[in-house]
């Protein structure tokens, strides 16, 4: 092959930038080298919860397992691609999911450099690739172990931008096809890519109307993009795109282009191409409309949104840092973008990416990544243009460019060095799940809070009631109820909710909108609160179809109040009950029998009282736990005052103090996790470790 000098240089720049991007992502590996708690199966574990969702899908694709209603994403692009890599490459599953983000996200350097190549400025492309590949928020969402769709979510639209720019600039046929194929891949990878594609279409329409109305090529491009975006199955769209491309290749069909464009618009609209936009609008308008409705029973569940901090405006500095690494870089990049557009009109096509990135300023940090490649190109353009004013000598320009690039890279690399994200689970927790996998069957349920749903399913190969994608107020309610109520009602609810979850799958829509509403109805209650109270008496439980396990991790200690809030309300009115007392601390000081627990709370061991703020109350009991030499948990409970409300638990080996009211003290979580006390009629021990306690339901 005879490569031109230009092409060779492009390849060298791409290679170098790619290596740079990969090398920077290895800093985390180097920092935690050999750190056992992060390692499982001789490899680091991933650090994003949602990743375990795709890992579950890939695992099942590889083993050929398909279970109905287990929520394993067998058809998701991420899972399919992962399974493909595991088959193809000589690395372990654990290694593939750990490093996939590193290598896939580093592909961003290719479209960045190719865009610059089109603008006849390869040096700009190289600098932009270095900056863009490691910019703050792009790094955060594509670092090693950040195994999620993010690893290609910016790469694919940047490729789309590249092919649109090349298409418009060269009018070569092949870019028609590449653009359409990119849309197909992007949609396959990330179905929500729709809005961005739509914005690109809008830009091309504007561009054509303003400056290039007579050019048939633009209409071909639009038609192909619309066919690629129809609301039909991917394989049908692929066939359409290839067929229409074949027609466009032949000049004799040129006179039909407007008809074909018309056809593409009609096909796009008729297949419901606009429906995602309608759905979004309706979502905005009716967002606070209905809550979970039973047949004739309107239950008010707690909304997850209420627990997430209101997504307020983020400070400008955070916003700028996340896009460019530093506010000065950010402002200079903006100047660079304006200059870039004045010099190269095609860079207007970058507006959708930029716009989506800037939406973050109003609506949440996660969008900032989209602005990264464009802003990187902009700052690089500013630099390469400015140095030409400063000196005529190529060598002086090079030195200046190197210095400026380093200045821009430095804050980003500094951030990366300090960004030591832990893995989702620790080795000791995963060991428990590994053991549980050999005990529980694939159809059994493991009940735990939704934060642990995906990892539990991945490591233990079981089913869960709630997870990172299924945690609305209605499904969280029973789980919250189980974890924070006494064992007797918790056990009943566990059996009820698991069997009702399965029944719901089979009922195919003929079911109340929440399990609680359906249970209330089946047990003859008009009032769900009454039904919950009835659990304290004898009731006939549904037929047992499988085993149920409770997974109680120590780490849930920190979110107990959040767990509780989901079942601590009147279902008819939605009014919250009084919040229970729950205080946990690992930071305390013992001063002559006065234990200061922080937050103005102190425990007086001499007169067995507790002071919270200014109020001093007698202590009901003081309970301490400690592992003996055989590794068995010993619990000492001292009852002080039967009329008092507040108890203190001291978990010596955990260096943890808990201050709780009576209700919390008697909850399934505290009794069975902290004190290892369980009702032998209802539960049996399965795995008890300091990190996690697993019990099996007997009823
Ligand atoms: Mn499964």
């Amino acid at each position: 092959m005879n490569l031109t000098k230009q092409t060779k240089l492009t390849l060298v720049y791409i290679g170098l930038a790619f290596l740079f991007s990969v090398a920077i992502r290895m800093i985390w590996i180097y920092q935690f080298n050999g750190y056992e708690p992060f390692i499982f199966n001789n490899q680091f574990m991933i650090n994003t919860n949602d990743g375990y969702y795709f890992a579950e899908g890939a695992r099942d694709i590889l083993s050929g397992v398909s279970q109905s209603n287990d929520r394993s994403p067998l058809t998701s692009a991420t899972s399919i691609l992962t399974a493909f890599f595991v088959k193809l490459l000589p690395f372990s599953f654990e290694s593939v999911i750990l490093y996939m983000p590193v290598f896939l996200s580093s592909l961003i350097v290719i479209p960045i450099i190719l865009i610059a190549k089109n603008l006849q400025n390869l040096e700009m492309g190289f600098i932009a690739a270095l900056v863009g590949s490691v910019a703050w928020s792009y790094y955060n969402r594509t670092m090693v172990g950040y195994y999620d769709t993010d690893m290609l979510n910016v790469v694919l639209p940047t490729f789309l931008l590249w092919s649109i720019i090349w298409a418009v600039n060269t009018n070569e046929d092949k870019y028609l096809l590449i653009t359409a194929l990119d849309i197909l891949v992007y949609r396959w990878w990330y179905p929500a890519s729709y809005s961005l594609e739509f914005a690109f279409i809008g830009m091309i329409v504007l561009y054509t109307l303003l400056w290039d109305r007579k050019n048939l090529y633009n209409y071909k491009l639009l038609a192909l993009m619309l066919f690629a975006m129809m609301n039909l199955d991917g394989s049908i769209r692929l066939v359409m795109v290839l067929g229409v491309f074949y027609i466009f290749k032949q000049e004799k069909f040129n006179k039909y282009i407007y008809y074909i464009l018309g056809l593409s618009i009609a096909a796009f609209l008729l297949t419901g191409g606009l429906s995602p936009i309608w759905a979004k609008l309706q979502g905005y308008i009716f967002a606070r409309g209905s809550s979970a409705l039973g047949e004739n029973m309107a239950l008010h569940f707690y909304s997850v949104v209420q627990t997430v901090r209101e997504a307020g405006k983020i400070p400008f500095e955070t916003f700028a840092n996340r896009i460019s690494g530093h506010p000065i870089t950010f402002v200079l990049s903006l100047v660079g973008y304006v200059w870039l557009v004045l010099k190269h009109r095609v860079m207007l096509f970058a507006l959708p990416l930029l716009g989506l990135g800037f939406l973050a300023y109003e609506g949440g940090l996660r969008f900032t990544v989209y602005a990264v490649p464009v802003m990187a190109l902009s700052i690089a353009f500013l630099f390469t243009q400015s140095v030409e004013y400063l000196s005529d000598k190529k060598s002086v320009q090079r030195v200046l460019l190197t210095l400026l690039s380093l200045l821009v890279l430095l804050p980003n690399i500094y951030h990366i060095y300090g960004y030591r994200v832990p893995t989702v689970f620790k080795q000791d927790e995963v060991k428990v799940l590994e053991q549980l996998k050999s005990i529980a069957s694939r159809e059994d349920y493991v009940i735990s809070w939704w934060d642990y749903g995906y990892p539990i399913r991945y490591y233990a190969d079981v089913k869960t009631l709630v997870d990172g994608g299924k945690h609305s107020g209605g499904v969280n309610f029973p789980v919250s109820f189980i974890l924070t109520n006494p064992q007797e009602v918790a056990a009943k609810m566990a059996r009820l909710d698991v069997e009702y979850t399965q029944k719901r799958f089979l009922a195919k829509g003929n079911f109340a909108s929440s399990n609680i509403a359906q249970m209330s109805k089946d047990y003859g209650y008009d009032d769900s609160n009454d039904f919950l109270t009835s659990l304290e008496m004898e009731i006939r439980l549904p037929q047992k179809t499988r085993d149920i396990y409770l997974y109680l991790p120590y780490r849930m200690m920190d979110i107990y109040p959040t767990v509780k809030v989901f079942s601590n309300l009147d279902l008819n009115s939605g009014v919250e009950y009084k919040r229970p007392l729950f205080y946990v601390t690992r930071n305390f000081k013992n001063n002559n029998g006065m234990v200061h627990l922080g937050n103005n709370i102190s425990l007086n061991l001499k007169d067995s009282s507790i002071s919270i703020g200014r109020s001093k109350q007698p202590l009901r009991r003081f309970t301490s736990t400690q592992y003996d030499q055989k590794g068995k948990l010993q619990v000492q409970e001292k009852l002080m005052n039967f009329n008092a409300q507040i108890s203190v638990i001291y978990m010596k080996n955990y260096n943890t103090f808990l201050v709780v009211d009576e209700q919390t003290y008697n909850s399934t979580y505290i009794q069975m996790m902290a004190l290892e006390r369980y009702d032998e009629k209802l539960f049996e021990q399965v795995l008890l470790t300091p990190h996690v306690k697993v019990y099996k339901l007997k009823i």
Side-chain angles (χ1 to χ4, degrees):
M1 211 162 45
N2 204 353
L3 298 175
T4 62
K5 203 180 151 215
Q6 178 85 349
T7 310
K8 269 187 210 156
L9 194 58
T10 309
L11 289 173
V12 168
Y13 278 158
I14 287 177
L16 286 176
F18 188 83
L19 283 179
F20 172 78
S21 170
V22 169
I24 291 289
R25 281 168 174 73
M26 297 304 283
I27 291 176
W28 187 94
I29 297 283
Y30 170 80
Q31 285 173 332
F32 289 105
N33 189 23
Y35 186 62
E36 273 297 310
F38 287 3
I39 292 173
F40 174 68
N41 263 353
N42 299 317
Q43 186 53 278
F44 283 114
M45 293 180 280
I46 58 175
N47 48 46
T48 169
N49 200 318
D50 289 355
Y52 282 113
Y53 173 67
F54 300 111
E56 179 188 16
R59 179 202 68 197
D60 287 346
I61 292 171
L62 286 165
S63 62
V65 167
S66 95
Q67 256 171 299
S68 49
N69 306 314
D70 72 341
R71 294 179 55 73
S72 175
L74 296 174
T75 55
S76 82
T78 310
S79 299
I80 293 171
L81 192 64
T82 306
F84 172 75
F85 282 142
V86 173
K87 273 251 164 188
L88 186 76
L89 302 169
F91 309 117
S92 71
F93 190 97
E94 260 63 36
S95 302
V96 168
I97 61 173
L98 181 74
Y99 286 107
M100 257 174 84
V102 172
F103 289 94
L104 292 185
S105 71
S106 295
L107 293 174
I108 192 81
V109 304
I110 299 175
I112 290 181
I113 290 175
L114 291 181
I115 287 169
K117 181 169 188 255
N118 185 267
L119 309 181
Q120 323 277 319
N121 192 341
L122 266 183
E123 274 173 346
M124 156 192 171
F126 183 58
I127 295 170
L130 297 182
V131 174
S133 63
V134 302
W136 198 307
S137 59
Y138 190 63
Y139 173 82
N140 286 5
R141 301 192 71 95
T142 61
M143 64 182 287
V144 64
Y146 204 94
Y147 170 69
D148 202 342
T149 52
D150 293 79
M151 54 191 153
L152 282 180
N153 274 358
V154 183
V155 173
L156 293 172
T158 310
F159 264 111
L160 190 56
L161 174 63
W162 157 73
S163 71
I164 290 172
I165 288 176
W166 278 66
V168 170
N169 262 355
T170 66
N171 284 1
E172 280 179 42
D173 280 342
K174 65 177 176 205
Y175 294 110
L176 294 173
L177 188 61
I178 292 175
T179 306
L181 291 181
D182 194 339
I183 289 180
L184 290 172
V185 174
Y186 188 21
R187 183 72 65 85
W188 172 69
W189 181 257
Y190 189 58
S193 65
Y194 177 87
S195 1
L196 203 50
E197 295 157 16
F198 201 72
F200 277 124
I201 293 256
M203 290 305 299
I204 297 171
V205 170
L206 261 178
Y207 178 90
T208 307
L209 293 178
L210 286 176
W211 295 297
D212 208 10
R213 222 173 304 171
K214 298 227 169 73
N215 188 350
L216 285 185
Y217 183 89
N218 295 343
Y219 300 105
K220 290 184 185 174
L221 181 63
L222 283 169
L224 271 175
M225 288 176 78
L226 284 169
F227 280 123
M229 282 178 65
M230 289 184 300
N231 206 0
L232 291 175
D233 192 71
S235 51
I236 300 174
R237 283 182 285 136
L238 178 62
V239 171
M240 287 294 284
V241 162
L242 292 176
V244 175
F245 177 67
Y246 176 77
I247 294 172
F248 282 167
K249 288 279 284 180
Q250 338 227 346
E251 259 169 50
K252 61 179 177 194
F253 291 120
N254 267 358
K255 53 183 176 237
Y256 300 118
I257 281 176
Y258 292 110
Y259 296 107
I260 297 173
L261 179 62
L263 190 71
S264 72
I265 296 172
F268 177 74
L269 293 178
L270 290 176
T271 59
L274 282 182
S275 53
I277 291 201
W278 288 132
K280 216 168 237 177
L281 283 177
Q282 280 174 342
Y284 284 124
I285 297 166
F286 302 117
R288 296 213 166 254
S290 60
S291 56
L293 295 170
E295 247 74 289
N296 36 29
M297 197 186 300
L299 298 185
H300 295 266
F301 291 110
Y302 196 81
S303 153
V304 181
V305 191
Q306 287 170 258
T307 60
V308 182
R309 245 179 326 124
E310 277 295 315
K313 255 193 170 178
I314 54 173
F316 171 74
E317 198 185 332
T318 313
F319 172 71
N321 279 343
R322 288 187 53 103
I323 291 177
S324 301
H326 196 279
I328 296 175
T329 316
F330 179 83
V331 172
L332 289 177
S333 305
L334 275 185
V335 174
Y337 182 68
V338 174
W339 193 355
L340 185 55
V341 166
L342 290 175
K343 187 117 189 262
H344 302 284
R345 201 158 57 196
V346 283
M347 285 309 289
L348 278 175
F349 290 121
L351 272 179
L353 281 173
L354 214 51
L356 188 54
F358 288 178
L359 270 186
Y361 198 45
E362 290 289 332
L365 288 173
R366 64 203 181 89
F367 291 118
T368 50
V369 276
Y370 287 96
V372 165
V374 182
M375 292 293 266
L377 279 163
S378 303
I379 190 86
F381 179 75
L382 184 80
F383 287 168
T384 53
Q385 292 301 109
S386 312
V387 293
E388 284 180 21
Y389 286 96
L390 294 172
S391 167
D392 294 333
K393 278 202 209 132
K394 205 73 191 145
S395 58
V396 178
Q397 290 178 4
R398 286 260 157 81
V399 172
L400 282 172
L401 275 181
T402 309
L403 282 175
L404 288 169
S405 308
L406 281 176
L407 274 178
V408 168
L409 285 171
L410 225 58
N412 288 300
I413 294 173
Y414 182 75
H415 159 73
I416 290 166
Y417 194 75
Y419 196 64
R420 299 176 195 212
V421 177
T423 56
V424 179
F425 269 19
K426 301 288 175 305
Q427 191 182 63
D428 292 311
E429 294 166 299
V430 175
K431 277 183 188 158
V432 171
L433 288 171
E434 266 280 287
Q435 276 180 277
L436 184 56
K437 182 185 191 170
S438 63
I439 297 167
S441 108
R442 190 166 282 147
E443 277 292 327
D444 292 344
Y445 273 80
V446 172
I447 298 180
S448 197
W449 195 236
W450 69 261
D451 298 32
Y452 321 120
Y454 289 147
I456 288 174
R457 287 220 302 271
Y458 173 68
Y459 287 115
D461 196 1
V462 288
K463 287 182 157 186
T464 61
L465 291 171
V466 283
D467 59 42
K470 182 184 179 189
H471 53 243
S472 65
V475 290
N476 273 350
F477 182 95
V479 179
S480 163
F481 186 93
I482 293 161
L483 294 169
T484 63
N485 274 282
Q487 295 177 41
E488 167 106 29
V489 291
K492 287 175 187 164
M493 181 58 87
R495 175 56 64 198
L496 278 163
D497 198 42
V498 164
E499 302 302 345
Y500 270 73
T501 299
Q502 284 295 127
K503 275 189 203 174
R504 166 184 296 278
F505 292 135
L506 303 174
K508 297 206 165 47
N510 194 13
F511 215 72
S513 64
S514 68
N515 287 354
I516 297 288
Q518 187 67 39
M519 291 171 201
S520 306
K521 195 179 147 206
D522 291 351
Y523 283 87
Y525 288 91
D526 290 331
D527 185 325
S528 284
N529 294 326
D530 291 345
F531 165 68
L532 293 174
T533 314
S534 80
L535 292 178
E536 285 163 29
M537 297 169 284
E538 286 285 312
I539 69 158
R540 244 191 74 188
L541 288 173
Q543 174 96 42
K544 169 182 171 175
T545 62
R546 64 205 64 225
D547 284 328
I548 298 172
Y549 298 86
L550 285 192
Y551 177 91
L552 308 172
Y554 170 71
R555 64 164 70 216
M556 206 189 99
M557 222 39 105
D558 295 308
I559 57 166
Y560 183 92
T562 309
V563 173
K564 176 69 185 172
V565 92
F566 280 87
S567 60
N568 196 37
L569 74 179
D570 181 325
L571 285 175
N572 297 323
S573 64
V575 174
E576 270 183 65
Y577 298 139
K578 188 172 164 286
R579 297 217 169 179
L581 176 68
F582 181 92
Y583 179 73
V584 57
T585 184
R586 295 169 191 88
N587 206 344
F588 50 85
K589 235 187 3 232
N590 189 347
N591 244 342
N592 291 326
M594 277 295 279
V595 188
H596 298 283
L597 302 174
N599 270 321
N600 257 329
I601 301 176
S602 45
L603 172 70
N604 190 335
L605 293 173
K606 285 174 191 150
D607 67 356
S608 303
S609 71
I610 183 142
S611 309
I612 301 179
R614 277 155 196 253
S615 96
K616 184 171 166 168
Q617 302 174 48
L619 204 60
R620 185 176 178 112
R621 51 172 107 66
F622 183 81
T623 308
S624 62
T625 73
Q626 186 177 7
Y627 281 99
D628 65 16
Q629 264 133 4
K630 287 184 195 138
K632 247 192 99 42
L633 191 74
Q634 300 298 337
V635 181
Q636 277 194 328
E637 185 184 79
K638 259 189 280 173
L639 188 63
M640 326 270 197
N641 185 333
F642 202 72
N643 294 316
Q645 278 304 309
I646 299 174
S647 298
V648 166
I649 302 171
Y650 174 46
M651 302 168 75
K652 189 157 188 249
N653 305 90
Y654 299 80
N655 196 39
T656 299
F657 265 99
L658 291 172
V659 181
V660 294
D661 58 16
E662 202 46 17
Q663 188 195 9
T664 309
Y665 191 84
N666 291 320
S667 71
T668 293
Y669 177 73
I670 294 298
Q671 287 290 310
M672 292 171 73
M673 160 61 215
L675 310 179
E676 290 188 3
R677 284 185 177 157
Y678 64 101
D679 185 332
E680 290 179 25
K681 293 193 301 297
L682 304 169
F683 297 99
E684 64 184 80
Q685 296 181 358
V686 180
L687 299 160
L688 302 185
T689 73
H691 300 272
V692 187
K693 321 271 155 107
V694 180
Y695 297 87
K696 183 174 167 182
L697 187 68
K698 275 180 159 174
I699 58 172

